Amino acid sequence: MAEKIDVSGVSIKNFPQNGEISPINAGIWHNYYLYTGKLAEQELNWSDDYKVWLDYMLGKAQKSEDDGVLPSGSMPYISKIYDTLNDAINYQDFAPTINQLKEIFEGLGNDTKFNKTALVSVASVSYYSSLFWSEINIVEPNGSLSKIKIPKWVN
């Protein structure tokens, strides 16, 4: 079902000032493209397959570690991101999810084994995306605004 959205309250919408793309600022770039795309679109279609997507991504991450694409020891971080997103789908409040994703992102960013890897990009996108979507409003049929619900954001 398509719903109209309001992005006027989004605060994280600018790309990094130096324009550099790195694992640490991948989430900021992600939000920039989401913001510019959603401003033009103003309508989203949702589906309920977020758990299927989460399970798929967990399997892909394990294979990536097994194949040496991700560094050894990546799966505990991936599992934390997975668990955080999986547990969040019943909440109406983004704050706990945002805080947990921020901790994971900062932990990876400070870990010299991971801070220049794609794993940091995943954590960066997860964290910054959670901030972005927490500021999105759904435009109700009567014109009022309501906060987006987590299952829709996880999609």
Side-chain angles (χ1 to χ4, degrees):
M1 177 175 112
E3 289 183 289
K4 292 184 188 247
I5 61 168
D6 172 35
V7 296
S8 63
V10 172
S11 58
I12 301 172
K13 56 190 168 202
N14 297 316
F15 59 89
Q17 294 301 320
N18 65 5
E20 182 180 310
I21 297 175
S22 70
I24 223 79
N25 68 21
I28 297 170
W29 279 99
H30 168 80
N31 283 2
Y32 170 71
Y33 288 110
L34 271 179
Y35 181 78
T36 55
K38 296 310 172 201
L39 267 180
E41 190 175 307
Q42 291 293 302
E43 200 168 277
L44 296 176
N45 285 305
W46 307 104
S47 65
D48 292 327
D49 60 359
Y50 50 88
K51 291 189 70 80
V52 172
W53 180 84
L54 285 174
D55 290 341
Y56 171 78
M57 293 308 294
L58 188 64
K60 288 296 278 183
Q62 182 64 64
K63 176 139 178 46
S64 293
E65 184 177 319
D66 293 345
D67 293 347
V69 175
L70 290 174
S72 173
S74 295
M75 283 311 294
Y77 284 109
I78 294 286
S79 293
K80 283 182 188 177
I81 293 170
Y82 172 88
D83 291 342
T84 299
L85 294 175
N86 198 35
D87 293 346
I89 60 177
N90 295 320
Y91 295 124
Q92 301 301 312
D93 180 11
F94 275 89
T97 301
I98 291 169
N99 291 336
Q100 288 173 346
L101 292 171
K102 181 179 182 184
E103 286 177 23
I104 296 164
F105 171 56
E106 289 176 345
L108 280 165
N110 292 324
D111 188 328
T112 56
K113 180 177 180 179
F114 297 105
N115 67 359
K116 295 187 186 329
T117 68
L119 189 53
V120 173
S121 296
V122 171
S124 176
V125 169
S126 297
Y127 169 59
Y128 284 110
S129 187
S130 69
L131 288 174
F132 178 89
W133 287 105
S134 73
E135 297 173 332
I136 295 285
N137 289 305
I138 299 293
V139 180
E140 301 293 344
N142 67 4
S144 66
L145 300 178
S146 64
K147 285 291 178 195
I148 196 168
K149 293 177 178 53
I150 284 181
K152 292 182 177 184
W153 163 71
V154 172
N155 272 329

